[in-house]
């Protein structure tokens, strides 16, 4: 009993950039897919879907946002929690009723609070740039039904 509680307490969830970095080090497609599945999180899926799914439209200005990244070793928030705020940033989402400046402030708040490498992934996601080293077929096989297309 004690041993199982100890093991549960010491298993840490990787940050999204760490999962993608680990996946990029894998040689085969099967290993890449298994790495994604082993480190499954809603934040990871949101980054993949937000950057690759053509049905997701971001309700933000184009271009790089003006933000100040926090220190990598001292970020107050995690993308695994902040990803819930993405619902305020998409067209047709919770933020449609918000003034643009408030929606943009939510976006900047996310970027400034999370690990800077995760923040880069979020900026790329909003600009529809998939993470480096990952392809649509790998995502579709790792997470069937995650990605959709406008038809």
């Amino acid at each position: 009993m004690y041993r199982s509680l100890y093991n549960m307490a010491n298993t840490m969830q990787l940050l999204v950039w760490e999962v993608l970095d680990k996946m990029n080090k894998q040689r085969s497609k099967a290993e890449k897919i298994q790495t994604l599945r082993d480190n499954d999180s809603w934040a990871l899926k949101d980054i993949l879907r937000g950057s690759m799914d053509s049905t997701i439209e971001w309700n933000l200005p184009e271009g790089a946002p003006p933000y100040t990244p926090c220190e990598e070793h001292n970020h107050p928030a995690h993308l695994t929690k902040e990803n819930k705020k993405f619902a305020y940033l998409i067209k047709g989402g919770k933020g449609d009723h918000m003034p643009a400046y408030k929606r943009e402030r939510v976006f900047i708040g996310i970027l400034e609070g999370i690990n800077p490498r995760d923040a880069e992934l979020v900026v790329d996601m909003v600009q529809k740039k998939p993470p480096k080293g990952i392809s649509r077929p790998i995502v579709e096989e790792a997470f069937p039904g995650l990605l959709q297309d406008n038809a």
Side-chain angles (χ1 to χ4, degrees):
M1 172 81 172
Y2 171 75
R3 184 170 173 79
S4 64
L5 290 175
Y6 176 78
N7 288 339
M8 286 174 41
N10 284 320
T11 57
M12 291 182 52
Q13 184 175 17
L14 297 176
L15 298 174
V16 174
W17 76 265
E18 292 172 317
V19 172
L20 294 172
D21 190 51
K22 185 176 180 180
M23 186 224 47
N24 281 325
K25 292 177 182 172
Q26 303 303 318
R27 294 184 183 262
S28 72
K29 181 180 177 183
E31 290 173 329
K32 290 177 185 255
I33 291 167
Q34 193 59 47
T35 300
L36 291 174
R37 286 180 180 165
D38 289 346
N39 296 283
D40 182 10
S41 71
W42 282 110
L44 173 64
K45 288 179 179 179
D46 285 347
I47 291 290
L48 297 173
R49 185 168 182 222
S51 62
M52 296 180 164
D53 191 326
S54 62
T55 63
I56 303 286
E57 290 184 54
W58 297 99
N59 201 358
L60 294 165
E62 291 191 25
Y67 75 99
T68 306
C70 65
E71 297 174 359
E72 189 165 351
H73 67 280
N74 193 24
H75 50 91
H78 290 278
L79 185 55
T80 54
K81 300 279 188 226
E82 295 293 296
N83 69 309
K84 294 172 185 160
K85 296 177 184 174
F86 291 167
Y88 295 99
L89 309 177
I90 58 172
K91 289 184 181 176
K94 294 179 180 180
D96 279 353
H97 67 283
M98 295 170 71
Y101 74 90
K102 281 189 178 181
R103 190 171 37 255
E104 292 165 24
R105 189 64 227 153
V106 168
F107 182 49
I108 299 295
I110 293 169
L111 296 176
E112 290 182 345
I114 61 177
N115 182 288
R117 296 196 50 194
D118 276 343
E120 291 171 15
L121 289 171
V122 173
V123 170
D124 286 347
M125 171 190 69
V126 169
Q127 296 175 357
K128 291 294 194 179
K129 295 179 188 172
K132 180 185 165 213
I134 193 162
S135 65
R136 188 177 180 97
I138 288 174
V139 173
E140 288 174 338
E141 195 166 334
F143 306 118
L146 180 67
L147 303 178
Q148 300 172 16
D149 274 321
N150 282 334

